[in-house]
Amino acid sequence: MRKKSELPTKICPVCNRPFAWRKKWERDWDSVVYCSDACRSASKRQKSID
């Protein structure tokens, strides 16, 4: 088992906060972009406004 500080992290482009690898993202970590569903939907709203 790894410590949380040893897990890979990414920065969410919507809220600019770092988020760490999660077990449910194990198979598709490379395609994970947003930290949450809220940020994903905020991104879509932002694109529809532009």
Side-chain angles (χ1 to χ4, degrees):
M1 193 112 162
R2 289 182 172 182
K3 293 180 183 177
K4 187 162 182 158
S5 62
E6 296 174 356
L7 295 174
T9 61
K10 291 184 180 183
I11 304 294
C12 178
V14 176
C15 64
N16 293 316
R17 294 183 189 160
F19 62 99
W21 181 92
R22 291 170 60 181
K23 178 71 175 171
K24 74 180 205 176
W25 293 330
E26 182 175 27
R27 288 179 290 159
D28 58 334
W29 175 246
D30 292 333
S31 64
V32 173
V33 177
Y34 305 105
C35 64
S36 66
D37 290 335
C39 283
R40 182 180 299 114
S41 64
S43 172
K44 290 180 182 179
R45 278 191 303 243
Q46 198 60 258
K47 287 180 183 177
S48 66
I49 293 171
D50 291 339

